[in-house]
Amino acid sequence: MKLLRYGPPGQEKPALVAADGSLRDLSQHVPDINPQTLDAKALDELRALDPASLPRVEEGVRIGTPIANIGKLLCVGLNYADHAKESNLPVPGEPVLFMKATSAICGPNDQVIIPRGSEKTDWEVELGIVIGRKTQYVEREQALEHVAGYCIVNDVSERAYQLERGGTWDKGKGCDTFAPIGPWLVTPDEIADLRNLDMHLSVNGETRQNGNTRTMIFSIDEIVSYISQFMTLNPGDVICTGTPPGVGAGMKPPQFLKAGDRMRLSISGLGEQCQEVVAWQR
């Protein structure tokens, strides 16, 4: 099942993607796609609906983030062996964790704003995990039972703020619009092999990232179990699981985003994002 939310920011309505690719409104059945919608029983009730019986959503509407009220946006850094290599950093012995501000969250096709004074705004296509139920100290063997679905996240990053301004990475990760999420929340039954998903990102039509989840260092079940040892994961929390090689900072010479650029991202079975890059304005 592919779930999404559509409409103007702050006024999104729930929907699903029918087999023919059309969007079907779910407003008569759930108020929103939110933490309360993500438990197994609620998802089963939506899965039992006949999409043909649901109102069709008009084409061309704005697509919002697929989950409302995301409580935490967690990230795993350097989780692809080939990305660690391009970054000239050692493969980590444990997952590297940081957080992005929830104020960075935006729709999958919304504009990405270059922060005031930024010269090193970069791109990162990532597989996102959406937590479906309260998760504390879960063992790896049970970890995937706590996952409601998966989505695409663009972990937009300002490298100077991240690496040259002291402290942790968070300053370069949490700027406004630095977390486009979506277009869909895809339930696990639609994904045959989490360790074989192609990931692609282009800038102005030129391929920058062309990777696959098979080069992940820490797997999805490892990540969920590991993070749950340090904090409670709640329904609706999103975990970004790292990026394959091809980021702008790793190019020779490095290349970064500028106003007018257009990013396009995709992951097998999870849809596509497209963002125009704009300059910050007061």
Side-chain angles (χ1 to χ4, degrees):
M1 185 166 54
K2 297 179 177 73
L3 300 173
L4 69 147
R5 301 168 65 246
Y6 73 95
Q11 302 175 43
E12 292 92 344
K13 296 180 179 181
L16 58 75
V17 182
D20 63 0
S22 64
L23 307 185
R24 301 290 178 148
D25 185 272
L26 287 169
S27 299
Q28 297 177 7
H29 300 274
V30 289
D32 208 343
I33 307 298
N34 56 29
Q36 292 71 43
T37 317
L38 299 179
D39 70 80
K41 180 181 178 183
L43 290 176
D44 284 343
E45 290 175 353
L46 295 180
R47 194 175 285 112
L49 297 172
D50 176 10
S53 70
L54 302 171
R56 185 185 290 263
V57 177
E58 64 183 84
E59 296 183 6
V61 297
R62 172 187 175 269
I63 305 300
T65 59
I67 316 104
N69 305 323
I70 295 171
K72 291 192 288 294
L73 183 54
L74 295 146
C75 303
V76 181
L78 298 173
N79 193 35
Y80 282 70
D82 36 9
H83 174 54
K85 182 178 180 180
E86 78 167 349
S87 302
N88 295 314
L89 293 169
V91 171
E94 295 187 36
V96 176
L97 302 182
F98 62 92
M99 302 182 83
K100 291 176 78 82
T102 53
S103 54
I105 294 170
C106 63
N109 304 316
D110 291 347
Q111 292 179 331
V112 166
I113 301 170
I114 296 177
R116 184 176 66 178
S118 165
E119 296 181 353
K120 297 182 179 181
T121 296
D122 206 345
W123 55 82
E124 293 189 12
V125 58
E126 305 207 3
L127 171 65
I129 306 168
V130 181
I131 298 298
R133 59 189 174 105
K134 186 176 180 179
T135 306
Q136 293 176 302
Y137 300 111
V138 68
E139 297 300 323
R140 183 176 173 184
E141 293 73 17
Q142 287 78 47
L144 294 185
E145 299 172 10
H146 293 248
V147 175
Y150 302 93
C151 58
I152 303 173
V153 182
N154 189 352
D155 177 19
V156 185
S157 308
E158 211 298 340
R159 303 302 186 188
Y161 298 175
Q162 176 188 358
L163 302 171
E164 301 170 19
R165 299 289 296 271
T168 64
W169 289 1
D170 297 57
K171 284 180 286 191
K173 295 286 189 173
C175 304
D176 292 351
T177 73
F178 269 27
I181 300 177
W184 313 319
L185 184 162
V186 180
T187 52
D189 55 291
E190 296 222 4
I191 301 175
D193 186 359
L194 287 168
R195 294 307 297 256
N196 189 26
L197 300 179
D198 291 328
M199 308 171 71
H200 186 267
L201 183 146
S202 66
V203 179
N204 301 328
E206 297 184 5
T207 296
R208 292 291 183 257
Q209 293 184 274
N210 195 21
N212 188 284
T213 54
R214 70 172 65 94
T215 66
M216 290 178 88
I217 299 165
F218 303 104
S219 61
I220 302 302
D221 53 347
E222 288 180 280
I223 290 169
V224 173
S225 174
Y226 182 85
I227 296 177
S228 78
Q229 312 304 310
F230 300 96
M231 65 190 78
T232 298
L233 296 170
N234 292 309
D237 287 349
V238 175
I239 305 170
C240 307
T241 58
T243 198
V247 299
M251 299 178 69
K252 300 186 187 317
Q255 296 185 24
F256 299 107
L257 295 166
K258 60 186 183 301
D261 286 346
R262 185 171 292 272
M263 294 180 281
R264 189 175 297 274
L265 301 75
S266 63
I267 298 179
S268 301
L270 300 185
E272 184 177 270
Q273 300 184 353
C274 184
Q275 300 110 25
E276 178 190 12
V277 179
V278 299
W280 181 86
Q281 294 183 342
R282 185 180 300 277

